Amino acid sequence: MKLTKTLLASTALSVAAGAVAAQDMANSMTIVSWGGAYQNSQLKAYAEPYQALHPEVSIAWDESSAEAVAKLRAMTEAGNITWDLVDVEAADSIRLCDEGLAMEIDFDEVLAEGDDGSAPTDDFGDSLVSDCFIPQIVFSTTVGYRTDMVGDTPPTDICALFDTETYPGKRALNKRPLANVEWALICDGVPKEELYDVLATPEGQDRALAKLDTIKDDTIWWSAAAETPQLLADGEVVMGSTYNGRLFSAIAEQGQPIGMLWDAQMLDFDGWVVPEGLPEDRLARVMHFLEFATDTQRLADQSAYISYGPARASSAPLVGKHADLGIEMAPHMPTDPANATNVYVTQYEFWADYRDDIDAKFQSWLAQ
């Protein structure tokens, strides 16, 4: 549902003027994210600068984004929305929007123009996959490997995940189907252009699970993306999937003996949704924060802390060096031409339509 016209107009005008009365806005927010290096990048690029301007505001962080859909369903049913702003992947934003659990946004009215004067809808472009989704980053799910555990022939393609003869040892994979089932079908011979047609059928889903069966006993299943970098650092797995920014942090910031496999990386968008039904004082604070946190400079600033590309076109020219290491960040982005020779763009509409059914099938298979 959209903001009421009165609240939308008053919030937008106040944000633009920077003159929302303090007594009209809540002074605390609960923001939901993913933890680890990614959440730290949000803290550094968005939250701390905002709080420096508004020291009266306190922010509590909840690391439950992986369970955002289920938890928002439960909160709505109970009539007790305790979250103010939630970071989700693009497909989950579509589900939340379709179910009326996330608020529809008039992007051009409540978000800042680009530094180049572009309207938000033009600046964000194709990343606006849902009427409720305020994009932040372009990221990818990809695979990292221990450089000292793969011999003289480090992996170059995604099917190394399934090659336990050449690369013996444990793998780490997400305890959710996204990316796993695509990679399984790719390595079972399904052509790229037929991937989602096959995955839409029960037979195709069974085929993906059968391929994953070949490494099931060699796999540690993770729930939090920070687990794979730690498992790699500890030498408990030879390779594992996670988000590219988590691997960048382990490699560049921590100096771990880890390499990154860009082949068949799954490109996706990540961004904010606002839960439907917030009280007006909490909603006013959230919208005030969002206008600040998603402007051109703030999205560019985030790339100084993690190797995710900003979702706004006007932010891309401002991507510079890492805040602490001083290295140029552009070559570490998933969209860099050298890293994007064989990418798969996550099909958001497919996963919005099929996610619950494939999730249930995947979890049943895991439990067997």
Side-chain angles (χ1 to χ4, degrees):
M1 299 179 184
K2 289 193 181 285
L3 284 164
T4 64
K5 289 185 178 179
T6 301
L7 178 59
L8 181 60
S10 64
T11 302
L13 289 171
S14 297
V15 168
V20 178
Q23 62 267 25
D24 294 334
M25 291 191 287
N27 284 335
S28 64
M29 289 188 292
T30 297
I31 299 179
V32 185
S33 190
W34 303 84
Y38 176 57
Q39 187 171 301
N40 184 63
S41 72
Q42 294 173 310
L43 177 72
K44 294 295 186 183
Y46 311 153
E48 288 183 353
Y50 183 79
Q51 288 177 294
L53 295 172
H54 305 282
E56 74 279 6
V57 178
S58 63
I59 296 176
W61 292 87
D62 184 314
E63 300 178 6
S64 300
S65 283
E67 306 167 276
V69 175
K71 289 198 170 187
L72 279 173
R73 285 170 176 164
M75 288 181 189
T76 301
E77 186 174 342
N80 183 28
I81 308 297
T82 60
W83 292 347
D84 297 293
L85 188 61
V86 187
D87 186 297
V88 295
E89 295 169 356
D92 281 348
S93 79
I94 297 173
R95 291 201 290 166
L96 290 166
C97 206
D98 288 346
E99 294 180 31
L101 302 176
M103 189 178 69
E104 292 185 15
I105 303 293
D106 187 330
F107 305 106
D108 286 338
E109 192 155 3
V110 301
L111 300 181
E113 288 185 348
D115 277 5
D116 57 3
S118 57
T121 47
D122 293 331
D123 206 14
F124 283 108
D126 292 342
S127 65
L128 294 173
V129 301
S130 157
D131 289 339
C132 304
F133 183 62
I134 304 171
Q136 296 173 69
I137 59 161
V138 182
F139 74 98
S140 73
T141 303
T142 189
V143 171
Y145 59 89
R146 281 284 299 219
T147 55
D148 56 349
M149 294 172 63
V150 295
D152 297 328
T153 54
T156 58
D157 70 81
I158 195 62
C159 296
L161 272 174
F162 299 91
D163 186 357
T164 55
E165 183 175 342
T166 304
Y167 304 106
K170 292 286 187 180
R171 280 84 169 118
L173 292 175
N174 194 350
K175 205 175 183 177
R176 301 187 295 164
L178 191 67
N180 292 331
V181 290
E182 284 102 333
W183 290 336
L185 289 178
I186 291 165
C187 296
D188 202 46
V190 175
K192 182 177 182 178
E193 62 274 12
E194 298 175 17
L195 187 61
Y196 287 97
D197 289 336
V198 172
L199 194 54
T201 66
E203 296 79 12
Q205 295 159 19
D206 290 342
R207 182 175 174 181
L209 294 177
K211 184 66 174 179
L212 287 165
D213 259 328
T214 64
I215 58 170
K216 187 177 183 182
D217 291 342
D218 295 304
T219 299
I220 296 172
W221 301 94
W222 56 264
S223 299
E227 293 177 50
T228 290
Q230 190 60 55
L231 289 167
L232 286 166
D234 294 342
E236 293 187 35
V237 298
V238 64
M239 63 181 69
S241 69
T242 188
Y243 308 126
N244 72 282
R246 306 299 182 111
L247 291 172
F248 169 83
S249 179
I251 295 167
E253 296 175 354
Q254 300 170 24
Q256 298 290 343
I258 297 172
M260 197 179 317
L261 179 62
W262 290 105
D263 183 61
Q265 59 168 317
M266 300 294 299
L267 286 176
D268 205 343
F269 294 113
D270 206 274
W272 301 113
V273 295
V274 179
E276 182 63 66
L278 293 182
E280 289 194 6
D281 63 334
R282 287 168 59 190
L283 179 57
R285 176 61 69 186
V286 167
M287 300 310 295
H288 192 260
F289 174 78
L290 275 175
E291 189 270 348
F292 173 86
T294 60
D295 72 12
T296 296
Q297 188 61 57
R298 247 50 61 180
L299 293 185
D301 287 347
Q302 188 176 7
S303 66
Y305 300 97
I306 199 161
S307 57
Y308 296 144
R312 291 188 88 130
S314 65
S315 300
L318 303 182
V319 172
K321 296 181 178 181
H322 189 278
D324 299 318
L325 302 177
I327 60 175
E328 293 291 342
M329 292 298 288
H332 299 282
M333 299 294 172
T335 50
D336 186 80
N339 304 329
T341 58
N342 182 32
V343 302
Y344 288 75
V345 178
T346 302
Q347 298 297 303
Y348 323 113
E349 292 288 352
F350 173 88
W351 280 108
D353 291 341
Y354 287 88
R355 182 62 175 270
D356 285 340
D357 290 341
I358 296 179
D359 264 348
K361 196 167 191 175
F362 188 82
Q363 297 307 321
S364 176
W365 169 80
L366 272 181
Q368 293 172 7

